[in-house]
Amino acid sequence: MLPDLSSLPPRLGAILGSMTEPSEPSRMGTVAEGTNPVMATALRLGESLDKGELTYDDIRTLIRTLRDDAFVSRARRLHRYVGGATLEASRKKLKAVAAQVVENLPEHSFSAYSSATDSIRFAAVFTAHPTFALSNPAYAALAQCASTEMPPEKAPFFETHRRAAPPTLEEEFTLAAQAITRARDAIDLLCAALLETAEANWPDQWRTLIPCPVIATSWVGYDTDGRTDIGWWDTLRLRLRMKLFQLMRLEQQIAHEGVLAPELSERLQNAITCVKEQISAAPNNPSDTQAVAHFARLMVEGRDRALCNATELTKLLQHAIDSAPPSARLPLAVARAGFLSHGLGLAHTHVRLNSVQVHNFVRQKLNLLDDPSNPAHRRALLNRVNEALDTVEPVPVDFGALLNDPSTAGRLMMTIAQITKYVDTQTPVRFLIAETETGYTLLSALWAATYFGVADKIEISPLFETEEALVNGDHIVEEALRSPAWREYVRRMGRICFQFGYSDSGRYIGQLAASYQIERLRLRIYDLLARWKLTDVTVVFFDTHGESIGRGAHPFRMSDRLAYLSPAHVRARFQSSGLAYREEAAFQGGDGYLLFGTPELACATLATIAENIYMPFGQDEDPIYDHPDFSADFFSSVIEDMTGLVEDPGYAALLGAFGPSLIDRSGSRPPARQSSESATRTRISHPSQLRAILNNAILQQLGWCANTLQGLGAAARRHPETFETLNTSSPRFHRALDFARHALACSDDKVLKSVVCLLDPGFWLDRATEEQDSKRRGFFLTIMRDLEKLNLSAELQTLFRRIQADHLALREAWQHAPRTEPRIRLLHAIRIMLIERIWLLACRIPFFMPRGGFSHDAMMQQILCLDIPTVLKNMRDIFPTGSGPSDLDFFEPRGPREEGIYVREHRDIFAPMQEIFELVREISIAVMHDIGAFG
């Protein structure tokens, strides 16, 4: 089970190599060691430490070597993922795309070319999902390694790849802005290719072309779903900074070409100066009302000077292009395209909040007391809100109203009102509503938007992410479409927007089934729009997936990722009817920003997106659509099995045991649960109590990607021949099974069994029975007794049997399915050994009297759940080392000076426990590298 050991120091490699030899009968030990190679390796590593054959420095070296090997593999995969990462190759792809646009035109005319390029077809949405799992230097090194023509054989040296602390909102915003800037540079290269092609074909007309097939969008600093730490003042300040970046970008692009455009330059410089003053005056909190009033004055009085509509510069930009020397016309036309397509922001703006927050606001304003989630009340609520939409009158909004409104939805609507009045009056703001499960939510949002006077400035979008929403999404949409006010709003905006969530949907019904349900929902939306005669609007589909298989990202190629999210079958349906639509895809947090981590990666990613827009996969009819009964039955089986797993008490026990403690906090968003809570099995009674990304990250660290794999065995067993046939003949089905291929390469039932075994009191009783040393025997018995108090074992054993049975069924139906990488197995084995070391150290902690509700029993339970930071914090208070002797004169005969009566405990127990725990979390980073993403 061991990987290539040649890169290790010879002595360490020899010891590990000996572990591949069969165990002698005399030292078989427990049943687990004899039958489970992962647990056997863990136990033999522990024995080598006890005998002095290995040291913790050796273990540290081994972990670093395996981590760096995984890092290099990840860099190579990233390089392949985007199809290679050289600027020259990407530029060639972009030129080929532009040539293909001309070839595909219905007629060779400038107007046809303009129609093909001057509307948005794709948006890259940068979010701040908590996937900032690596230190910033490690991320930068990873991106750089993936950007070379031949990725390096050896990883750059880092003592650790972990972050020193969770990222702040400011840090996330800065990282997002850097990634967006590189994305904008790559978009400029696409626009340059399109403009060059236009110049070659229509030399007298090309200078009026403003291509904008791809834009960048961001919600970093504007997403208030599930968090209360982002105030309206934060959102306004960050939105102003995005405006400043955009103005400065245009100024630099003009100056770089040496073009004399004094009126344009002066207008930009005045706007930049004014926006800088506004940013400086932005309040840090609302308690300083004088500061808010001063900020308000600068925003209101500086409105014209700050420039609030990008089109005000259209004539000046055209004049600059027309009067520029020939060599500067193309760069100026590119700059204009980027500026006008993005408006007064480096990226377009998304905001987000939860449906409950919308309901609460409207309930208070309209006195609608019924529960929208109750179907019995829904018709009455829909009638009431429709009546209210007929009579609603807008109210004025000022910064004083922002100070006084206690509702989240009200404050967000007023923040948008101020943005659309004083920051950017032209570019609409996307208003995303999480957990939308009724059309009443959309109508309520429309009422609130009308009430605050921004109904024509925002694009209201439901987020379909729950099982209820995915299954009944068409009913939700139709509830809204029955409203004349909603239909009129959609026609007025010219767009209807939908967002699909992959993390939450995947963790509840299985990732593959979620994608199937989303595809069905897209087709039903198409039918609904045709039925309600809304075929003259643009449909926007925003896929909020992550970078991992657990959150909807294809594991092998960017091109397959785009084709998987937007199946050719769905695209053909829309294109055949002439119904315009555009795709949007998320790039979430640190992992997502990697695809734009260097100019090379950004350009390669953008080139793949452009190919997907204009050169989609050409294919005949996919046979999966000739087997609708198979598809329905297959994915229904997956859903049934996955929902059963989610409701299994053992699943919550598995996720909540020590899984959360294996992972560093990876975002500024407050976690759903704090590690300082009581470490008992009741701390997590259902997976819904964890955030989706953390849920997925825990599964990765426990060695089993359940939300991708569970139920596939049951589904494949029902139709084994059709399963095998479509696996090889259907591109759509094959791409779906690529998720399972990668999951199987990163999952191992032996690893999961080892985790279950580690939490089984019987395992420790077996070890105590065979242990000759009385002291260690006592430690094993102590661990056994404390594990019994957690009461996890029975449910975990039942859960494991459920998982293993489905896994065996999948292996039977899929004979050539991938196996786990040996490096991953070894990493898990090392970590299991280290966890045992932590538990054994805990048995040496002296008894102490309870302090502040923290007792010795509570301590042991927290240590078993690996809540080591909290325990060590308490240990420092309970076993202080003192502040050192003082040499001051205290005017009496000198008494004894104790330098710390608990020095031994800190030296021999607490310090080693801290060091081992750091290694445990470093292994988590290595496992994440092997999987390729966090969560």
Side-chain angles (χ1 to χ4, degrees), residues 618-650:
Q619 66 176 61
D620 298 327
E621 289 296 319
D622 193 315
I624 189 69
Y625 299 104
D626 296 330
H627 297 80
D629 292 338
F630 168 80
S631 298
D633 187 74
F634 183 88
F635 292 111
S636 294
S637 296
V638 172
I639 292 171
E640 181 180 3
D641 218 64
M642 187 65 204
T643 53
L645 182 77
V646 170
E647 298 304 323
D648 190 319

mmCIF file of all heavy atoms in Angstrom, residues 618-650:
data_model
loop_
_atom_site.group_PDB
_atom_site.id
_atom_site.type_symbol
_atom_site.label_atom_id
_atom_site.label_comp_id
_atom_site.label_asym_id
_atom_site.label_seq_id
_atom_site.Cartn_x
_atom_site.Cartn_y
_atom_site.Cartn_z
ATOM 1 N N GLY A 618 -19.022 19.435 -30.541
ATOM 2 C CA GLY A 618 -19.921 18.929 -31.562
ATOM 3 C C GLY A 618 -20.138 17.444 -31.333
ATOM 4 O O GLY A 618 -19.180 16.675 -31.236
ATOM 5 N N GLN A 619 -21.367 17.014 -31.216
ATOM 6 C CA GLN A 619 -21.629 15.608 -30.967
ATOM 7 C C GLN A 619 -22.999 15.241 -31.526
ATOM 8 O O GLN A 619 -23.872 16.086 -31.715
ATOM 9 C CB GLN A 619 -21.608 15.293 -29.468
ATOM 10 C CG GLN A 619 -22.735 15.968 -28.679
ATOM 11 C CD GLN A 619 -22.731 15.549 -27.231
ATOM 12 O OE1 GLN A 619 -21.768 15.775 -26.519
ATOM 13 N NE2 GLN A 619 -23.819 14.944 -26.786
ATOM 14 N N ASP A 620 -23.139 13.983 -31.835
ATOM 15 C CA ASP A 620 -24.439 13.488 -32.250
ATOM 16 C C ASP A 620 -25.317 13.361 -31.020
ATOM 17 O O ASP A 620 -24.930 13.719 -29.910
ATOM 18 C CB ASP A 620 -24.265 12.130 -32.935
ATOM 19 C CG ASP A 620 -23.412 12.247 -34.198
ATOM 20 O OD1 ASP A 620 -23.496 13.299 -34.861
ATOM 21 O OD2 ASP A 620 -22.662 11.293 -34.485
ATOM 22 N N GLU A 621 -26.496 12.835 -31.197
ATOM 23 C CA GLU A 621 -27.409 12.647 -30.077
ATOM 24 C C GLU A 621 -26.760 11.767 -29.013
ATOM 25 O O GLU A 621 -26.177 10.725 -29.313
ATOM 26 C CB GLU A 621 -28.707 12.010 -30.566
ATOM 27 C CG GLU A 621 -29.577 12.940 -31.406
ATOM 28 C CD GLU A 621 -30.067 14.129 -30.611
ATOM 29 O OE1 GLU A 621 -30.446 13.942 -29.444
ATOM 30 O OE2 GLU A 621 -30.050 15.258 -31.151
ATOM 31 N N ASP A 622 -26.832 12.204 -27.780
ATOM 32 C CA ASP A 622 -26.262 11.443 -26.669
ATOM 33 C C ASP A 622 -27.220 10.314 -26.306
ATOM 34 O O ASP A 622 -28.394 10.555 -26.031
ATOM 35 C CB ASP A 622 -26.066 12.373 -25.464
ATOM 36 C CG ASP A 622 -25.195 11.751 -24.397
ATOM 37 O OD1 ASP A 622 -25.406 10.565 -24.071
ATOM 38 O OD2 ASP A 622 -24.307 12.452 -23.880
ATOM 39 N N PRO A 623 -26.734 9.068 -26.276
ATOM 40 C CA PRO A 623 -27.638 7.933 -26.008
ATOM 41 C C PRO A 623 -28.291 7.962 -24.632
ATOM 42 O O PRO A 623 -29.286 7.274 -24.423
ATOM 43 C CB PRO A 623 -26.733 6.710 -26.170
ATOM 44 C CG PRO A 623 -25.344 7.218 -26.058
ATOM 45 C CD PRO A 623 -25.368 8.629 -26.580
ATOM 46 N N ILE A 624 -27.746 8.765 -23.688
ATOM 47 C CA ILE A 624 -28.373 8.806 -22.367
ATOM 48 C C ILE A 624 -29.817 9.302 -22.470
ATOM 49 O O ILE A 624 -30.691 8.898 -21.703
ATOM 50 C CB ILE A 624 -27.560 9.695 -21.398
ATOM 51 C CG1 ILE A 624 -28.078 9.558 -19.962
ATOM 52 C CG2 ILE A 624 -27.593 11.148 -21.824
ATOM 53 C CD1 ILE A 624 -27.831 8.237 -19.330
ATOM 54 N N TYR A 625 -30.073 10.163 -23.479
ATOM 55 C CA TYR A 625 -31.420 10.711 -23.626
ATOM 56 C C TYR A 625 -32.364 9.752 -24.342
ATOM 57 O O TYR A 625 -33.564 10.014 -24.416
ATOM 58 C CB TYR A 625 -31.349 12.062 -24.342
ATOM 59 C CG TYR A 625 -30.524 13.065 -23.570
ATOM 60 C CD1 TYR A 625 -29.229 13.391 -23.963
ATOM 61 C CD2 TYR A 625 -31.027 13.657 -22.407
ATOM 62 C CE1 TYR A 625 -28.450 14.290 -23.229
ATOM 63 C CE2 TYR A 625 -30.257 14.563 -21.677
ATOM 64 C CZ TYR A 625 -28.975 14.871 -22.089
ATOM 65 O OH TYR A 625 -28.209 15.753 -21.366
ATOM 66 N N ASP A 626 -31.814 8.652 -24.848
ATOM 67 C CA ASP A 626 -32.654 7.598 -25.412
ATOM 68 C C ASP A 626 -33.081 6.598 -24.348
ATOM 69 O O ASP A 626 -33.829 5.660 -24.649
ATOM 70 C CB ASP A 626 -31.893 6.848 -26.518
ATOM 71 C CG ASP A 626 -31.555 7.747 -27.699
ATOM 72 O OD1 ASP A 626 -32.336 8.695 -27.951
ATOM 73 O OD2 ASP A 626 -30.513 7.519 -28.347
ATOM 74 N N HIS A 627 -32.583 6.771 -23.138
ATOM 75 C CA HIS A 627 -32.918 5.862 -22.034
ATOM 76 C C HIS A 627 -33.468 6.664 -20.855
ATOM 77 O O HIS A 627 -32.882 6.673 -19.763
ATOM 78 C CB HIS A 627 -31.677 5.082 -21.580
ATOM 79 C CG HIS A 627 -31.108 4.175 -22.627
ATOM 80 N ND1 HIS A 627 -30.298 4.628 -23.657
ATOM 81 C CD2 HIS A 627 -31.222 2.830 -22.795
ATOM 82 C CE1 HIS A 627 -29.936 3.608 -24.402
ATOM 83 N NE2 HIS A 627 -30.481 2.504 -23.911
ATOM 84 N N PRO A 628 -34.582 7.366 -21.047
ATOM 85 C CA PRO A 628 -35.104 8.197 -19.954
ATOM 86 C C PRO A 628 -35.507 7.388 -18.729
ATOM 87 O O PRO A 628 -35.375 7.872 -17.604
ATOM 88 C CB PRO A 628 -36.314 8.896 -20.589
ATOM 89 C CG PRO A 628 -36.699 8.018 -21.742
ATOM 90 C CD PRO A 628 -35.429 7.433 -22.248
ATOM 91 N N ASP A 629 -35.975 6.160 -18.964
ATOM 92 C CA ASP A 629 -36.363 5.334 -17.816
ATOM 93 C C ASP A 629 -35.144 4.951 -16.981
ATOM 94 O O ASP A 629 -35.192 4.960 -15.748
ATOM 95 C CB ASP A 629 -37.083 4.069 -18.285
ATOM 96 C CG ASP A 629 -38.436 4.377 -18.899
ATOM 97 O OD1 ASP A 629 -38.983 5.455 -18.595
ATOM 98 O OD2 ASP A 629 -38.935 3.540 -19.675
ATOM 99 N N PHE A 630 -34.035 4.630 -17.673
ATOM 100 C CA PHE A 630 -32.801 4.324 -16.946
ATOM 101 C C PHE A 630 -32.341 5.528 -16.137
ATOM 102 O O PHE A 630 -31.994 5.415 -14.960
ATOM 103 C CB PHE A 630 -31.705 3.895 -17.920
ATOM 104 C CG PHE A 630 -30.340 3.853 -17.291
ATOM 105 C CD1 PHE A 630 -29.946 2.766 -16.517
ATOM 106 C CD2 PHE A 630 -29.446 4.908 -17.446
ATOM 107 C CE1 PHE A 630 -28.683 2.734 -15.918
ATOM 108 C CE2 PHE A 630 -28.190 4.891 -16.857
ATOM 109 C CZ PHE A 630 -27.808 3.791 -16.089
ATOM 110 N N SER A 631 -32.316 6.711 -16.775
ATOM 111 C CA SER A 631 -31.860 7.918 -16.081
ATOM 112 C C SER A 631 -32.702 8.188 -14.847
ATOM 113 O O SER A 631 -32.173 8.436 -13.754
ATOM 114 C CB SER A 631 -31.920 9.124 -17.024
ATOM 115 O OG SER A 631 -31.074 8.944 -18.123
ATOM 116 N N ALA A 632 -34.030 8.149 -15.021
ATOM 117 C CA ALA A 632 -34.915 8.439 -13.895
ATOM 118 C C ALA A 632 -34.713 7.434 -12.775
ATOM 119 O O ALA A 632 -34.631 7.797 -11.593
ATOM 120 C CB ALA A 632 -36.363 8.440 -14.363
ATOM 121 N N ASP A 633 -34.618 6.153 -13.142
ATOM 122 C CA ASP A 633 -34.472 5.116 -12.117
ATOM 123 C C ASP A 633 -33.098 5.187 -11.456
ATOM 124 O O ASP A 633 -32.973 5.059 -10.230
ATOM 125 C CB ASP A 633 -34.682 3.741 -12.745
ATOM 126 C CG ASP A 633 -34.718 2.637 -11.699
ATOM 127 O OD1 ASP A 633 -35.733 2.539 -10.982
ATOM 128 O OD2 ASP A 633 -33.722 1.894 -11.589
ATOM 129 N N PHE A 634 -32.052 5.411 -12.272
ATOM 130 C CA PHE A 634 -30.687 5.437 -11.743
ATOM 131 C C PHE A 634 -30.526 6.549 -10.710
ATOM 132 O O PHE A 634 -30.081 6.313 -9.580
ATOM 133 C CB PHE A 634 -29.697 5.636 -12.894
ATOM 134 C CG PHE A 634 -28.259 5.598 -12.487
ATOM 135 C CD1 PHE A 634 -27.565 4.400 -12.436
ATOM 136 C CD2 PHE A 634 -27.576 6.760 -12.134
ATOM 137 C CE1 PHE A 634 -26.226 4.355 -12.056
ATOM 138 C CE2 PHE A 634 -26.256 6.733 -11.751
ATOM 139 C CZ PHE A 634 -25.571 5.524 -11.716
ATOM 140 N N PHE A 635 -30.921 7.755 -11.092
ATOM 141 C CA PHE A 635 -30.705 8.877 -10.186
ATOM 142 C C PHE A 635 -31.703 8.879 -9.022
ATOM 143 O O PHE A 635 -31.380 9.364 -7.946
ATOM 144 C CB PHE A 635 -30.737 10.186 -10.967
ATOM 145 C CG PHE A 635 -29.564 10.333 -11.902
ATOM 146 C CD1 PHE A 635 -29.731 10.287 -13.275
ATOM 147 C CD2 PHE A 635 -28.279 10.491 -11.408
ATOM 148 C CE1 PHE A 635 -28.661 10.407 -14.134
ATOM 149 C CE2 PHE A 635 -27.191 10.607 -12.253
ATOM 150 C CZ PHE A 635 -27.381 10.564 -13.621
ATOM 151 N N SER A 636 -32.876 8.304 -9.225
ATOM 152 C CA SER A 636 -33.804 8.148 -8.096
ATOM 153 C C SER A 636 -33.229 7.197 -7.059
ATOM 154 O O SER A 636 -33.383 7.417 -5.848
ATOM 155 C CB SER A 636 -35.157 7.634 -8.594
ATOM 156 O OG SER A 636 -35.794 8.584 -9.400
ATOM 157 N N SER A 637 -32.549 6.159 -7.536
ATOM 158 C CA SER A 637 -31.904 5.219 -6.603
ATOM 159 C C SER A 637 -30.793 5.908 -5.824
ATOM 160 O O SER A 637 -30.632 5.692 -4.617
ATOM 161 C CB SER A 637 -31.340 4.021 -7.373
ATOM 162 O OG SER A 637 -32.360 3.276 -7.992
ATOM 163 N N VAL A 638 -30.015 6.746 -6.519
ATOM 164 C CA VAL A 638 -28.957 7.496 -5.830
ATOM 165 C C VAL A 638 -29.561 8.403 -4.762
ATOM 166 O O VAL A 638 -29.077 8.446 -3.620
ATOM 167 C CB VAL A 638 -28.138 8.330 -6.843
ATOM 168 C CG1 VAL A 638 -27.172 9.257 -6.103
ATOM 169 C CG2 VAL A 638 -27.366 7.419 -7.792
ATOM 170 N N ILE A 639 -30.627 9.109 -5.126
ATOM 171 C CA ILE A 639 -31.265 10.031 -4.177
ATOM 172 C C ILE A 639 -31.803 9.276 -2.971
ATOM 173 O O ILE A 639 -31.603 9.692 -1.816
ATOM 174 C CB ILE A 639 -32.397 10.804 -4.876
ATOM 175 C CG1 ILE A 639 -31.820 11.773 -5.914
ATOM 176 C CG2 ILE A 639 -33.237 11.579 -3.859
ATOM 177 C CD1 ILE A 639 -32.861 12.428 -6.795
ATOM 178 N N GLU A 640 -32.459 8.157 -3.227
ATOM 179 C CA GLU A 640 -33.028 7.380 -2.120
ATOM 180 C C GLU A 640 -31.946 6.907 -1.167
ATOM 181 O O GLU A 640 -32.082 6.989 0.060
ATOM 182 C CB GLU A 640 -33.807 6.187 -2.679
ATOM 183 C CG GLU A 640 -34.467 5.333 -1.612
ATOM 184 C CD GLU A 640 -35.223 4.155 -2.186
ATOM 185 O OE1 GLU A 640 -35.191 3.965 -3.428
ATOM 186 O OE2 GLU A 640 -35.833 3.407 -1.405
ATOM 187 N N ASP A 641 -30.850 6.419 -1.714
ATOM 188 C CA ASP A 641 -29.781 5.900 -0.864
ATOM 189 C C ASP A 641 -29.060 7.019 -0.126
ATOM 190 O O ASP A 641 -28.708 6.882 1.055
ATOM 191 C CB ASP A 641 -28.785 5.110 -1.714
ATOM 192 C CG ASP A 641 -28.261 3.877 -0.996
ATOM 193 O OD1 ASP A 641 -29.069 2.980 -0.700
ATOM 194 O OD2 ASP A 641 -27.046 3.837 -0.712
ATOM 195 N N MET A 642 -28.838 8.154 -0.812
ATOM 196 C CA MET A 642 -28.128 9.261 -0.184
ATOM 197 C C MET A 642 -28.978 9.908 0.904
ATOM 198 O O MET A 642 -28.462 10.248 1.982
ATOM 199 C CB MET A 642 -27.737 10.300 -1.233
ATOM 200 C CG MET A 642 -26.840 11.419 -0.688
ATOM 201 S SD MET A 642 -25.219 10.816 -0.154
ATOM 202 C CE MET A 642 -24.765 12.089 1.038
ATOM 203 N N THR A 643 -30.268 10.080 0.650
ATOM 204 C CA THR A 643 -31.128 10.658 1.692
ATOM 205 C C THR A 643 -31.219 9.737 2.898
ATOM 206 O O THR A 643 -31.288 10.202 4.037
ATOM 207 C CB THR A 643 -32.525 10.955 1.139
ATOM 208 O OG1 THR A 643 -33.064 9.776 0.516
ATOM 209 C CG2 THR A 643 -32.496 12.074 0.126
ATOM 210 N N GLY A 644 -31.183 8.428 2.647
ATOM 211 C CA GLY A 644 -31.154 7.488 3.770
ATOM 212 C C GLY A 644 -29.884 7.623 4.582
ATOM 213 O O GLY A 644 -29.899 7.555 5.816
ATOM 214 N N LEU A 645 -28.762 7.824 3.885
ATOM 215 C CA LEU A 645 -27.492 8.019 4.587
ATOM 216 C C LEU A 645 -27.523 9.287 5.430
ATOM 217 O O LEU A 645 -27.071 9.300 6.580
ATOM 218 C CB LEU A 645 -26.354 8.100 3.569
ATOM 219 C CG LEU A 645 -24.952 8.257 4.159
ATOM 220 C CD1 LEU A 645 -24.455 6.932 4.713
ATOM 221 C CD2 LEU A 645 -23.973 8.789 3.117
ATOM 222 N N VAL A 646 -28.050 10.372 4.858
ATOM 223 C CA VAL A 646 -28.096 11.647 5.576
ATOM 224 C C VAL A 646 -28.908 11.530 6.854
ATOM 225 O O VAL A 646 -28.561 12.133 7.885
ATOM 226 C CB VAL A 646 -28.669 12.753 4.654
ATOM 227 C CG1 VAL A 646 -28.954 14.024 5.442
ATOM 228 C CG2 VAL A 646 -27.683 13.060 3.523
ATOM 229 N N GLU A 647 -29.972 10.758 6.821
ATOM 230 C CA GLU A 647 -30.822 10.606 8.001
ATOM 231 C C GLU A 647 -30.310 9.544 8.966
ATOM 232 O O GLU A 647 -30.850 9.404 10.062
ATOM 233 C CB GLU A 647 -32.251 10.260 7.570
ATOM 234 C CG GLU A 647 -32.919 11.340 6.726
ATOM 235 C CD GLU A 647 -32.941 12.696 7.414
ATOM 236 O OE1 GLU A 647 -33.119 12.741 8.655
ATOM 237 O OE2 GLU A 647 -32.764 13.725 6.715
ATOM 238 N N ASP A 648 -29.305 8.800 8.581
ATOM 239 C CA ASP A 648 -28.728 7.778 9.459
ATOM 240 C C ASP A 648 -28.026 8.469 10.630
ATOM 241 O O ASP A 648 -27.152 9.313 10.423
ATOM 242 C CB ASP A 648 -27.723 6.934 8.667
ATOM 243 C CG ASP A 648 -27.247 5.711 9.422
ATOM 244 O OD1 ASP A 648 -26.997 5.811 10.643
ATOM 245 O OD2 ASP A 648 -27.108 4.645 8.789
ATOM 246 N N PRO A 649 -28.376 8.154 11.873
ATOM 247 C CA PRO A 649 -27.707 8.794 13.029
ATOM 248 C C PRO A 649 -26.194 8.628 13.010
ATOM 249 O O PRO A 649 -25.461 9.491 13.493
ATOM 250 C CB PRO A 649 -28.334 8.090 14.239
ATOM 251 C CG PRO A 649 -29.635 7.551 13.743
ATOM 252 C CD PRO A 649 -29.415 7.191 12.307
ATOM 253 N N GLY A 650 -25.732 7.516 12.436
ATOM 254 C CA GLY A 650 -24.294 7.304 12.372
ATOM 255 C C GLY A 650 -23.577 8.283 11.477
ATOM 256 O O GLY A 650 -22.393 8.567 11.673
#
